[in-house]
């Protein structure tokens, strides 16, 4: 295996040298019209079309956070989220699966390098899905863990050959269980299409079932180590990129597609509003309520994007200095991430109302985008009240129990 890794280190970059960040973002923006056109197909298939995954692979999007040793670009999180924002303007489901599976190459840098050799040793473009809620049960044994369970909502799993799954490991001494993440190849789990939903249909968030398999220790990572910014893979993947909190990267991967989708919805409203005349005979462009809504939405998008980039600039700075971000800052950043989907959904509902009966048409994107945003808000990482009360409780002197920050 070491010989394979050595070859990969120097030869497996997609298309040669890594592109500039601006070029990657431009590639994503160029895909917006095509993604919007394919969006209905993704809803019907209940998965992102194969052509879209192929386009994303050719563009190098899944390599943005991948270690250079494995053909990746090791770019900053700001670039990653700008790509995601652009994809979401065309189709929120596509951006959603990118915000999940696109983060996993970053997570792989935390694991022992033997895991990366197994995943990418023969194909550095191999994709990984996940369901990180600790729905499984694991038992420590010689050399690893016995894992079994049934997980839901593994977005993009039909396009992936590996899965990251969360589980609780019982303590031998009767102490508290330990949360861990386990990496499994597709031959060791079953995927079941249960994804019949009212929004984000294209994410293909199927169930995953594991029936008592042995997972070697080097393909596992504790949630506590994630919180402490630790991982055995950091010995080889030495970039400061891999010293950021996993929880911060993950939750923004879950919320940022909403921000891009709202921008797409605003774009559609502006396009429609320039020519639309209501049944009452008034022009939308001259309606002060529509005008105000456009201004409010554009301002909100700008505010939320500014916070997104400021927060990750700060997190990158901590990592470069070898420092751990303060707890209060991490809690605040997670709440600000969760607030994105809350605000976007409320603004999108107002936009939908402003389109009148015309907005009901399947030929227009308004109803589909609103349904996608409503579905995205249901994710546990987007639970505004829960995350806000968690941060507020710490401010009031209670103990933090959230490791995904």
């Amino acid at each position: 295996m070491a010989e394979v890794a050595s070859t990969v280190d120097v030869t497996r970059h997609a298309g040669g040298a890594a592109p500039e960040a601006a070029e990657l973002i431009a590639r994503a923006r160029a895909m917006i019209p095509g993604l919007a056109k394919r969006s209905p197909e993704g809803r019907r298939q209940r998965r992102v079309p194969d052509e879209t995954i192929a386009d994303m692979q050719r563009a190098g999007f899944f390599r943005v956070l991948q270690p250079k040793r494995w053909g990746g670009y090791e770019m900053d999180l700001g670039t990653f989220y700008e790509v995601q924002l652009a994809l979401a303007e065309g189709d929120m489901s596509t951006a959603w699966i990118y915000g999940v599976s696109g983060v996993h190459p970053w997570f792989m840098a935390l694991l022992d390098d033997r895991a990366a050799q197994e995943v990418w040793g023969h194909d550095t473009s191999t994709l990984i899905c996940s369901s990180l809620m600790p729905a499984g049960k694991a038992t420590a044994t010689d050399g690893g863990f016995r894992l079994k369970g049934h997980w839901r909502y593994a977005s993009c799993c039909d396009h992936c050959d590996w899965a990251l799954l969360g589980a609780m490991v019982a303590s031998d001494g009767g102490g508290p269980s330990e949360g861990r993440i386990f990496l499994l190849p597709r031959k060791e789990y079953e995927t079941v299409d249960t994804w019949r939903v009212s929004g984000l249909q294209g994410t293909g968030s199927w169930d995953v079932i594991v029936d008592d398999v042995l997972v070697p220790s080097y393909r596992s990572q504790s949630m506590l180590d994630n919180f402490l910014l630790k991982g055995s893979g950091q010995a080889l993947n030495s970039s400061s990129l891999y010293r950021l909190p996993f929880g911060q990267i993950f939750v923004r991967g879950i919320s940022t597609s909403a921000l891009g989708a709202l921008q797409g919805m605003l774009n559609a409203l502006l396009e429609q509003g320039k020519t639309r005349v209501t049944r009452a005979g008034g022009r939308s462009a001259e309606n002060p309520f529509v005008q105000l809504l456009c201004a409010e939405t554009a301002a909100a998008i700008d505010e939320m994007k500014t916070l997104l980039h400021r927060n990750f600039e700060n997190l990158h700075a901590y990592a470069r200095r070898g420092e751990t971000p303060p707890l209060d800052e991490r809690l605040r950043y997670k709440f600000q991430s969760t607030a994105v989907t809350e605000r976007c959904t409320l603004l999108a509902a107002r936009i939908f109302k402003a389109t009148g009966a015309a907005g009901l048409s399947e030929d227009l994107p308004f109803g589909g985008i609103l349904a996608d945003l409503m579905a995205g808000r249901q994710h546990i990482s987007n639970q505004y009240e829960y995350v806000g009360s968690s941060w507020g409780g710490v401010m009031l002197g209670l103990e933090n129990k959230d490791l995904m920050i």
Side-chain angles (χ1 to χ4, degrees), residues 109-122:
L110 303 185
L111 300 181
D112 185 294
D113 201 54
R114 286 174 289 180
Q117 289 173 20
E118 291 183 13
V119 174
W120 292 323
H122 296 287

Side-chain angles (χ1 to χ4, degrees), residues 225-265:
D225 280 349
N226 287 340
F227 176 78
L228 297 174
L229 320 185
K230 293 167 52 179
S232 58
Q234 292 169 335
L236 290 174
N237 302 303
S238 57
S239 168
S240 64
L241 172 64
Y242 305 118
R243 270 59 177 182
L244 274 72
F246 170 62
Q248 296 292 328
I249 298 171
F250 179 81
V251 297
R252 278 292 186 175
I254 295 299
S255 69
T256 299
S257 59
L259 187 51
L262 181 64
Q263 180 67 66
M265 198 174 190

Side-chain angles (χ1 to χ4, degrees), residues 108-132:
M108 288 295 296
L110 303 185
L111 300 181
D112 185 294
D113 201 54
R114 286 174 289 180
Q117 289 173 20
E118 291 183 13
V119 174
W120 292 323
H122 296 287
D123 182 1
T124 60
S125 68
T126 296
L127 298 181
I128 306 166
C129 66
S130 69
S131 182
L132 301 185

Side-chain angles (χ1 to χ4, degrees), residues 95-115:
W96 182 279
I97 66 99
Y98 182 64
V100 178
S101 288
V103 165
H104 297 152
W106 181 94
F107 184 83
M108 288 295 296
L110 303 185
L111 300 181
D112 185 294
D113 201 54
R114 286 174 289 180

Side-chain angles (χ1 to χ4, degrees), residues 277-351:
V277 177
T278 69
R279 294 269 180 169
R283 295 182 63 223
S284 290
E286 297 173 351
N287 185 323
F289 301 108
V290 175
Q291 294 167 348
L292 178 60
L293 177 58
C294 292
E296 284 186 74
T297 304
I301 290 171
D302 183 62
E303 291 167 12
M304 289 184 279
K305 285 181 65 175
T306 299
L307 268 183
L308 166 66
H309 288 297
R310 183 210 66 179
N311 290 358
F312 275 95
E313 286 169 4
N314 291 345
L315 291 170
H316 274 291
Y318 281 118
R320 286 191 294 269
R321 294 193 300 267
E323 299 173 6
T324 298
L327 177 63
D328 179 73
E329 197 165 339
R330 293 165 74 171
L331 289 163
R332 171 160 42 98
Y333 288 179
K334 182 170 183 177
F335 178 68
Q336 289 167 339
S337 172
T338 303
V340 166
T341 309
E342 184 75 9
R343 294 180 70 185
C344 287
T345 304
L346 295 174
L347 285 164
R350 292 174 59 193
I351 291 176

Side-chain angles (χ1 to χ4, degrees), residues 58-105:
R58 279 191 295 270
F61 297 156
F62 293 107
R63 297 183 182 273
V64 171
L65 302 180
Q66 188 175 23
K68 289 181 179 179
R69 299 176 53 254
W70 292 100
Y73 304 150
E74 286 189 15
M75 290 181 169
D76 62 273
L77 271 299
T79 300
F80 178 82
Y81 294 120
E82 280 296 329
V83 169
Q84 187 181 13
L85 286 166
L87 296 175
E89 286 190 41
D91 178 51
M92 185 172 167
S93 286
T94 299
W96 182 279
I97 66 99
Y98 182 64
V100 178
S101 288
V103 165
H104 297 152

